[in-house]
Amino acid sequence: MNIIKSSKALNRYLNTIREGDSKVTIGFIPTMGALHQGHASLIDESVKNNACTVCSIFVNPTQFGDEADLDKYPRPIEKDIKLLMEHGCSILFLPAYEDVYPKNYTHKEFELNNLDHKIEGASRPGHFQGVSNVVSRFFDIIEPTYAYFGQKDFQQTAVVRRLIEICKYETTLKIVPIKREPHGLAMSSRNVRLSDKGRKNAAFIYKSLTQLRDDVPELGLKESVSKAKQFISAQKGARVDYLVAVDSKTLEEVDQIDDAESIAVLTVVEYEGVRLLDNIILK
Ligand code: PAF
């Protein structure tokens, strides 16, 4: 695996690959490091389908509301490099702040059709604009054929789809299903902050989502959502931040299963002081 730290060097390197073979495809996985098996599944998917896989590790300050959170963000770079090598990643892009955001860079406000303000965006103002800025910088540098994002950050995938549309990127978005721990908890860098017992118990989140899916034919969507919320709230130490059924494209809330062509249920549950994201696609 090649480790490249400068955007100019990466762009040059990828152009040489593209010039050598016009049919070559480049897969890209943006990350903030602290890689786990969820990230590995994105790398695997790209390695399987592309001659060249680029993974970036960059803890992006513009998507953090709280500086303390940014400082606390884990940076186990040696471990990350090992995982990337084991999974056959071709290039690790490890840029410095000034390379991603040069002095003359002006932070952009993308027209995201309000996707950035609702649900997760409501409690994290500016977060999705920060994500959009960094992802668009990476797309400009790398010009990937495919970009791989995890379904776990469902709202982020909707934002990136919109970004690709408005910036007319020639990149195809690939969404990789959620990777789960043996008990069902969605894999996340945050899971290490749970106690061992909490990590097993937190399976109730996924259980509530699958039960919700099974309840819909009999109870209808609205009633099933409210039952799932009650179930989670009844778990000791758990607090539902949100649990909503939405149109997968617009993220508008829906009440009935026929209200949209594709529907997902998104949730964040606070448990042992950790915000745990999960979702399920209903149709
Ligand atoms: O999902 C993440 O880890 C980040 O939001 C991303 C896409 C790498 C942008 O910083």
Side-chain angles (χ1 to χ4, degrees):
M1 183 174 72
N2 243 318
I3 301 180
I4 301 183
K5 294 191 175 173
S6 119
S7 56
K8 277 205 183 96
L10 177 61
N11 186 265
R12 229 180 294 124
Y13 185 92
L14 293 174
N15 283 340
T16 314
I17 294 182
R18 280 186 277 252
E19 277 156 23
D21 175 1
S22 60
K23 287 206 180 71
V24 82
T25 61
I26 292 167
F28 171 52
I29 302 99
T31 81
M32 299 207 295
L35 305 179
H36 50 70
Q37 289 309 308
H39 295 109
S41 69
L42 305 182
I43 306 283
D44 289 346
E45 200 51 36
S46 175
V47 168
K48 209 165 58 189
N49 292 295
N50 301 283
C52 178
T53 291
V54 182
C55 173
S56 62
I57 296 184
F58 177 69
V59 183
N60 175 35
T62 67
Q63 69 188 78
F64 284 82
D66 186 344
E67 275 206 20
D69 267 1
L70 173 64
D71 293 343
K72 266 193 302 186
Y73 205 85
R75 291 163 170 88
I77 189 66
E78 293 306 325
K79 213 169 140 231
D80 287 349
I81 290 175
K82 187 165 174 276
L83 180 142
L84 290 174
M85 287 174 72
E86 281 167 5
H87 286 266
C89 180
S90 330
I91 299 171
L92 165 59
F93 180 41
L94 205 53
Y97 178 87
E98 300 72 34
D99 204 346
V100 178
Y101 299 118
K103 273 207 187 73
N104 60 356
Y105 182 80
T106 40
H107 185 86
K108 299 190 179 81
E109 279 294 309
F110 293 96
E111 208 294 284
L112 297 174
N113 254 352
N114 206 30
L115 291 170
D116 50 331
H117 293 129
K118 48 185 88 163
I119 321 174
E120 189 67 11
S123 45
R124 301 177 75 183
H127 170 73
F128 289 113
Q129 287 293 340
V131 169
S132 302
N133 272 265
V134 81
V135 169
S136 81
R137 278 291 291 135
F138 287 148
F139 281 6
D140 290 339
I141 296 165
I142 297 164
E143 300 175 52
T145 325
Y146 300 105
Y148 295 82
F149 284 78
Q151 183 202 319
K152 187 174 76 63
D153 296 303
F154 194 91
Q155 189 164 356
Q156 177 166 273
T157 63
V159 165
V160 173
R161 188 182 298 113
R162 171 74 182 156
L163 186 70
I164 289 175
E165 183 188 314
I166 56 175
C167 298
K168 301 191 169 47
Y169 285 121
E170 283 175 18
T171 299
T172 302
L173 171 65
K174 293 278 183 189
I175 301 174
V176 179
I178 299 176
K179 193 95 181 153
R180 297 186 178 279
E181 299 199 354
H183 293 87
L185 176 65
M187 284 190 182
S188 160
S189 314
R190 294 179 183 163
N191 294 357
V192 294
R193 287 157 54 192
L194 295 168
S195 67
D196 286 350
K197 188 162 167 244
R199 202 157 164 166
K200 275 188 202 148
N201 285 351
F204 66 79
I205 301 171
Y206 184 49
K207 200 168 152 218
S208 73
L209 293 177
T210 50
Q211 183 62 49
L212 183 161
R213 184 188 54 204
D214 296 346
D215 283 341
V216 171
E218 203 182 312
L219 300 181
L221 185 56
K222 200 171 173 190
E223 186 66 27
S224 308
V225 165
S226 118
K227 188 180 155 200
K229 273 191 201 163
Q230 280 171 25
F231 174 78
I232 297 175
S233 304
Q235 310 299 312
K236 197 167 162 243
R239 191 186 66 79
V240 181
D241 191 342
Y242 57 77
L243 192 151
V244 277
V246 295
D247 177 321
S248 303
K249 299 273 150 34
T250 62
L251 302 186
E252 282 300 317
E253 206 165 331
V254 291
D255 278 341
Q256 289 173 32
I257 200 72
D258 294 330
D259 280 354
E261 233 170 65
S262 51
I263 293 180
V265 176
L266 318 185
T267 190
V268 164
V269 176
E270 206 180 292
Y271 188 56
E272 291 190 342
V274 186
R275 285 185 91 239
L276 300 169
L277 268 85
D278 206 343
N279 65 71
I280 193 166
I281 294 171
L282 292 188
K283 68 165 192 174

